Amino acid sequence: METAIIIGNLTKKFGDVVAVDDFSLTIDPGAFLTLLGPSGCGKTTLLRCIAGLEDPDGGQIYIGDRLVFSHARGISLSPGHRDLGLVFQNYALWPHMTVYKNMTFALEVQKLSKAEMDKRVKDSLAEVQMEGYEDRYPREMSGGQQQRIALARMLAYRPKVFLMDEPLSNLDARLRMDMRGELKHLHHIAKATTVYVTHDQVEALTMSSAIAVMKEGVLQQLGTPDEVYHYPANLFVADFIGNPKVNLLDGIAKAGNRVEIGRFAISTNTDNASGPVVVAIRPEDITISTVPVPDALECIAYSVLPSGADTTIVAKVGRVEITVTEPGTSKVAIDDQLWLQFDSDGINLYSKDSGNLIPNQ
């Protein structure tokens, strides 16, 4: 049965530092929700509170229909009574135990039969493509193999909720990419509600059904990967999500759906805004030309960065830098004269004062 998680007004302090600040969030049953944000934003602390590894200083947590924590009522169930599976950054495998013993340690507490434990170990290892490793010790395996075993151990336990704290950060880039696909497939198979902590936006965008972006213990935006990427709720989210990062340009919103950026004006829906705004546009929503184009912004190529699949070009207009991406290998060279056109559908406007997306003010 799929399980929802409801977090209400949760607060966690370490001395005078507020790590999680009056945080409320509902995680839908069966969702793959990623807690995303920079180091120190409170995402791991929030995960540990859900797991029962930290006692919050206020608020409540429901897992399914069970109240597992309530500061007001003095309720705090231990991690073992919350029906959770945990995977950490450092794998947390017992070095003196074989894979089989690592995987059955918790199952023995459940008093399962030997036949049932054998079946769960075999099935779980098959799901992470680690059949035949039952008698290996952690020291006899690579980091990627140990992480697969940690995942298999969680699957064998069959919890209602998966909690994962940056489980791929110790792996090399190629293996991380492979494991993202594995984790997404495992979630599809298990259908367990999953809370995943990372500072890696690529992981969040590629794996999640929902993303909760955090800053200084406060929820900045909750949405699908598409919503968070294309319609960031504020300038922090817009600047944090995306690689290459979004272009943020100071402008003045004028009547007639125009925004003036210095001596240049672009046409876009201003939602009746007027005065100072920040224009946000992704590098892929800018078209580049090496010949003059009517109503385009003239600039100079400052740097050209090919990466195989695409090329990142940084153009300069005076002191303003604008980043553009082109598919494949570009023929643009440094110091080339360029003309840029902005896709009005890819433009978001933000209040200069509040930093919020203008339609959501």
Side-chain angles (χ1 to χ4, degrees):
M1 181 179 177
E2 296 178 347
T3 303
I5 301 174
I6 302 174
I7 303 166
N9 305 110
L10 205 73
T11 297
K12 175 62 182 176
K13 299 178 182 178
F14 296 99
D16 295 331
V17 177
V18 181
V20 179
D21 191 1
D22 195 26
F23 194 101
S24 295
L25 177 66
T26 297
I27 304 172
D28 293 334
F32 191 120
L33 178 124
T34 297
L35 299 175
L36 177 66
S39 297
C41 73
K43 55 189 184 294
T44 292
T45 299
L46 178 60
L47 187 86
R48 291 175 61 85
C49 289
I50 297 172
L53 300 175
E54 300 282 356
D55 265 347
D57 298 296
Q60 61 186 19
I61 303 171
Y62 279 89
I63 297 179
D65 57 1
R66 296 182 68 196
L67 181 63
V68 300
F69 175 80
S70 171
H71 184 266
R73 296 170 60 180
I75 297 172
S76 182
L77 299 188
S78 66
H81 290 89
R82 298 193 183 195
D83 200 6
L84 306 167
L86 295 164
V87 177
F88 299 99
Q89 179 178 345
N90 61 358
Y91 319 138
L93 298 175
W94 296 103
H96 64 289
M97 291 183 181
T98 63
V99 166
Y100 182 88
K101 290 298 293 181
N102 265 284
M103 293 181 63
T104 58
F105 185 77
L107 302 182
E108 290 173 353
V109 177
Q110 293 181 320
K111 298 183 178 179
L112 299 180
S113 68
K114 178 70 163 54
E116 177 63 19
M117 287 194 295
D118 288 349
K119 183 178 186 303
R120 289 200 187 185
V121 169
K122 182 179 179 180
D123 291 347
S124 299
L125 288 175
E127 287 176 358
V128 298
Q129 301 177 30
M130 292 290 287
E131 303 98 319
Y133 279 73
E134 291 87 343
D135 297 327
R136 297 276 188 97
Y137 287 89
R139 64 177 178 272
E140 298 173 325
M141 296 181 290
S142 68
Q145 290 172 327
Q146 290 184 58
Q147 191 59 282
R148 287 173 186 262
I149 296 302
L151 291 168
R153 178 178 58 185
M154 180 180 66
L155 290 170
Y157 184 65
R158 296 184 182 174
K160 293 179 180 178
V161 173
F162 294 169
L163 302 180
M164 304 186 192
D165 187 9
E166 303 202 50
L168 308 184
S169 60
N170 286 343
L171 306 180
D172 61 56
R174 175 64 183 272
L175 190 52
R176 277 203 306 273
M177 183 176 295
D178 292 342
M179 286 302 296
R180 286 175 199 148
E182 296 288 349
L183 285 174
K184 196 164 185 177
H185 183 71
L186 289 175
H187 175 256
H188 174 74
I189 293 173
K191 302 189 184 308
T193 305
T194 300
V195 183
Y196 188 98
V197 165
T198 186
H199 62 271
D200 187 329
Q201 55 179 286
V202 175
E203 285 185 10
L205 291 169
T206 55
M207 296 168 60
S208 313
S209 61
I211 299 174
V213 184
M214 296 179 64
K215 176 188 178 186
E216 297 176 354
V218 177
L219 179 65
Q220 301 294 308
Q221 184 173 4
L222 172 66
T224 65
D226 182 71
E227 290 168 343
V228 171
Y229 185 80
H230 291 290
Y231 306 102
N234 55 43
L235 288 172
F236 170 79
V237 178
D239 193 45
F240 186 76
I241 300 289
N243 184 25
K245 67 179 184 178
V246 69
N247 294 288
L248 299 175
L249 308 171
D250 290 335
I252 304 293
K254 297 286 187 177
N257 287 329
R258 291 172 60 255
V259 178
E260 292 182 356
I261 304 172
R263 292 176 294 175
F264 177 72
I266 59 175
S267 297
T268 187
N269 183 9
T270 60
D271 290 294
N272 297 317
S274 62
V277 296
V278 177
V279 177
I281 185 164
R282 299 285 179 192
E284 65 268 24
D285 291 323
I286 302 173
T287 303
I288 195 166
S289 174
T290 55
V291 296
V293 177
D295 300 322
L297 175 61
E298 187 176 352
C299 54
I300 298 294
Y302 179 74
S303 66
V304 180
L305 307 167
S307 62
D310 53 40
T311 301
T312 299
I313 299 164
V314 179
K316 267 197 168 184
V317 184
R319 294 185 178 181
V320 177
E321 292 187 356
I322 300 175
T323 303
V324 185
T325 55
E326 280 196 317
T329 301
S330 175
K331 295 181 180 180
V332 172
I334 293 176
D335 291 334
D336 278 357
Q337 200 165 13
L338 306 174
W339 285 263
L340 306 182
Q341 291 178 294
F342 299 82
D343 181 355
S344 61
D345 291 336
I347 292 174
N348 289 316
L349 298 182
Y350 294 85
S351 166
K352 185 72 173 176
D353 294 328
S354 69
N356 292 330
L357 186 64
I358 284 179
N360 294 340
Q361 290 189 98

